[in-house]
Amino acid sequence: PVVASPVGVHSDIVCDGVNGFLARNESEWTEKLQLLRRDAGLRQRLGAAGRRTVEERFTVDRAVELVAGVLKGIM
């Protein structure tokens, strides 16, 4: 599972508490990392959800679909 600062595309990719955590300051980083350290089930759920996000949005196959859609749109 991921813990990221809510900057740039992180806020578009990470849905806080669903497929990872967003941490805005040092205390949130500490809190989120401790949650993950203590809860194996939470690590599993967030990790699996994060993987699904990557597979749905950032694979080569997905990129090919997006580019093909753009090309079809301009033809």
Side-chain angles (χ1 to χ4, degrees), residues 30-51:
T30 300
E31 173 192 347
K32 306 291 174 101
L33 290 170
Q34 286 177 348
L35 280 171
L36 290 172
R37 183 179 60 85
R38 288 190 304 255
D39 190 336
L42 179 62
R43 291 192 305 270
Q44 174 62 34
R45 286 189 306 277
L46 292 182
R51 181 173 181 95

